[in-house]
Amino acid sequence: MSFTTLGLSAPVLRAVKEEGYTTPTPIQKQAIPVVLEGRDLLAGAQTGTGKTAGFTLPLLELLRDHKPAKGKKRVRALILTPTRELAAQVGESVATYGKYLPFTSTIIFGGVGINPQKNILKKGVDIVIATPGRLLDLVGQKALDLSHVEVLILDEADRMLDMGFIHDIKKILALLPQKRQNLLFSATFSDDIKRLSDSLLNSPALIEVARRNTASEQVEQLVYPVDKARKRELITHLIKTNSWKQVLIFTRTKHGANKLSEQLNKRNITSAAIHGNKSQGARTKALADFKAGNIRVLVATDIAARGLDIDQLPFVVNFELPNVPEDYVHRIGRTGRAGNEGKAVSLVCVDEKELLRNIEKLIKRKIPQSIVEGYKPDPNIQPEPPKKQKRRPQRGRRSRKVEGR
Ligand code: AMP
């Protein structure tokens, strides 16, 4: 099956072809015709499945089909994302797939000056890709009118709820016209997502593509048992002896990310850390340097890495296992994307055995283990009683401020 059979027009097909896509992914095959029919959609698909093109391609087509009223350009499509990075990536996709169409789009998120965003909006745009907080700020300052939105897309809706955006989403819904098309994309279908979709969607088509658990089968996974105190030494050893070039390393804390990045740099492994305390400029630069191969290692926390789309990322390393097993699946989903091979390596110390068990339960398989020569864990080290973990803020302003504004 090729893209030409999906009902897309020449300008869109041309852009798709230039991206080198020959065959639509399963989510694209199923979502594109449904969206073109004008139906609401509830789609279960995570990053890596090609979901962005799954909604962007038919969106462009719809906007092309329905000619807007003459006069000032009005916002006709709104795409909401949980993080700045995802907004930036979706924005890039919209620009790429729409490059042979006359539409304008803009990305809106916090952490950067609001005035340039206001100036762009003043000129009028067709498509807005935004995180909720800044979007509402702009509406509050009368810089943005959402009353002509024809299509609303919630991308990674589960993450938006996890990050406490439900109230903002409700406020935004109240600003939209009653009659519109709604698309909701989510990696998981929790009760909260079901409630949101029940209130938002009108007789939606339901599409679910391979869960990330099965998608992650493309990723070769390996656990290296090691003592906690030797993890830094081991990761340096692995990167150097295997000549790993582009490695995304996850740590549990922002402080841990900074510390590891500094240590790698001291050992001549170029690296940068990204997390919610870094300015948007620093994050964008780190990501660009990493993508361009100027730095070898990117050390990230879970939330900062959410939505990162790095083509052909070969290695993901869990320097520490995440507390939430689903985060492991999100993390390793950064590699092995769109059919590429990837490898995910986890450094696991005696304290993390329970976390590993929970992850294996979730992905329904045992991850092979291998001991690196010279790094055999000391059998005399006993697990430390788990420290009281600070919970990740679920609905607090903190997480929203850090990641969404
Ligand atoms: P997404 O799930 O939207 O984050 O997309 C994951 C990756 O797959 C992105 O790097 C896209 O450029 C790529 N991609 C999307 N659709 C296709 C396709 N039909 N063929 C090959 N690659 C694709």
Side-chain angles (χ1 to χ4, degrees):
M1 186 185 195
S2 77
F3 280 97
T4 46
T5 55
L6 287 173
L8 301 169
S9 62
V12 174
L13 289 173
R14 186 172 163 203
V16 165
K17 193 167 169 210
E18 282 180 14
E19 280 306 286
Y21 306 164
T22 49
T23 322
T25 65
I27 186 74
Q28 292 163 0
K29 262 182 227 167
Q30 296 177 67
I32 293 173
V34 168
V35 179
L36 287 178
E37 272 174 36
R39 286 189 67 183
D40 278 9
L41 171 65
L42 175 59
Q46 38 279 104
T47 31
T49 53
K51 67 180 167 67
T52 316
F55 61 73
T56 307
L57 301 177
L59 169 68
L60 291 166
E61 208 61 60
L62 287 173
L63 297 183
R64 192 173 167 269
D65 279 357
H66 307 168
K67 293 269 176 302
K70 289 238 160 25
K72 187 182 177 305
K73 247 187 203 295
R74 302 185 187 270
V75 178
R76 299 175 62 200
L78 174 62
I79 305 174
L80 288 178
T81 73
T83 62
R84 303 162 186 175
E85 277 78 11
L86 187 62
Q89 276 160 22
V90 171
E92 253 174 56
S93 298
V94 170
T96 304
Y97 304 138
K99 66 177 158 188
Y100 298 115
L101 290 166
F103 306 124
T104 49
S105 63
T106 194
I107 306 163
I108 282 173
F109 51 64
V112 293
I114 199 165
N115 286 332
Q117 297 178 349
K118 281 186 180 169
N119 291 338
I120 293 172
L121 290 171
K122 225 182 260 166
K123 289 184 201 139
V125 289
D126 299 287
I127 305 167
V128 166
I129 304 106
T131 54
R134 176 58 66 88
L135 186 83
L136 284 170
D137 290 345
L138 284 161
V139 173
Q141 296 186 23
K142 304 241 178 310
L144 178 61
D145 170 17
L146 296 174
S147 66
H148 289 79
V149 167
E150 295 160 40
V151 186
L152 168 72
I153 300 168
L154 299 186
D155 193 12
E156 303 202 354
D158 51 346
R159 266 293 145 139
M160 274 196 261
L161 298 188
D162 284 352
M163 291 172 69
F165 282 133
I166 186 66
H167 300 296
D168 283 353
I169 292 174
K170 284 187 176 155
K171 280 186 209 157
I172 293 167
L173 293 179
L175 300 166
L176 305 176
Q178 286 283 326
K179 190 172 166 300
R180 55 169 201 267
Q181 188 177 359
N182 303 290
L183 317 178
L184 190 152
F185 283 75
S186 180
T188 53
F189 286 139
S190 62
D191 287 346
D192 283 343
I193 286 289
K194 284 193 198 104
R195 262 193 294 278
L196 177 64
S197 62
D198 285 348
S199 67
L200 176 70
L201 307 176
N202 198 352
S203 322
L206 179 68
I207 295 175
E208 212 172 345
V209 294
R211 308 226 39 80
R212 195 190 288 266
N213 303 359
T214 49
S216 67
E217 274 159 22
Q218 275 166 317
V219 180
E220 187 189 333
Q221 300 166 60
L222 191 60
V223 162
Y224 288 125
V226 59
D227 291 334
K228 192 171 175 176
R230 300 195 67 201
K231 281 189 177 184
R232 270 187 218 115
E233 201 188 316
L234 175 58
I235 187 65
T236 312
H237 171 79
L238 288 171
I239 294 172
K240 286 199 164 164
T241 51
N242 297 307
S243 307
W244 286 348
K245 291 280 172 319
Q246 217 186 10
V247 193
L248 176 61
I249 303 184
F250 285 95
T251 60
R252 236 177 317 192
T253 64
K254 298 171 199 169
H255 176 66
N258 284 339
K259 220 163 118 190
L260 179 60
S261 171
E262 279 164 25
Q263 302 228 344
L264 290 172
N265 280 320
K266 270 192 207 141
R267 289 171 191 159
N268 294 326
I269 298 172
T270 47
S271 87
I274 57 165
H275 50 67
N277 285 0
K278 295 258 173 180
S279 70
Q280 186 56 38
R283 290 206 242 173
T284 309
K285 180 173 182 322
L287 184 60
D289 281 345
F290 184 60
K291 282 187 177 182
N294 300 335
I295 54 170
R296 214 161 150 185
V297 176
L298 193 63
V299 189
T301 56
D302 287 288
I303 292 186
R306 180 78 189 169
L308 287 187
D309 182 13
I310 301 158
D311 277 344
Q312 306 190 350
L313 177 65
F315 295 103
V316 166
V317 175
N318 294 302
F319 188 74
E320 288 137 348
L321 289 180
N323 291 328
V324 183
E326 282 80 4
D327 281 347
Y328 173 84
V329 183
H330 286 302
R331 287 179 179 188
I332 71 165
R334 308 286 113 208
T335 179
R337 309 182 78 176
N340 292 314
E341 289 193 352
K343 193 164 176 174
V345 166
S346 302
L347 311 191
V348 177
C349 71
V350 66
D351 300 343
E352 295 171 296
K353 290 211 163 135
E354 181 67 26
L355 296 177
L356 181 60
R357 254 197 301 278
N358 292 338
I359 289 166
E360 291 183 328
K361 230 188 267 166
L362 175 76
I363 63 172
K364 298 198 177 67
R365 60 160 129 162
K366 276 207 107 45
I367 306 171
Q369 303 205 356
S370 162
I371 289 174
V372 182
E373 213 188 307
Y375 291 87
K376 188 169 186 291
D378 179 348
N380 297 318
I381 298 180
Q382 295 299 315
E384 280 179 27
K387 280 192 205 127
K388 265 208 163 150
Q389 285 290 339
K390 269 196 235 157
R391 287 195 56 196
R392 186 145 92 206
Q394 290 280 310
R395 298 184 192 288
R397 289 188 61 79
R398 229 183 110 227
S399 74
R400 191 173 62 182
K401 241 184 159 154
V402 169
E403 299 291 347
R405 290 227 160 202

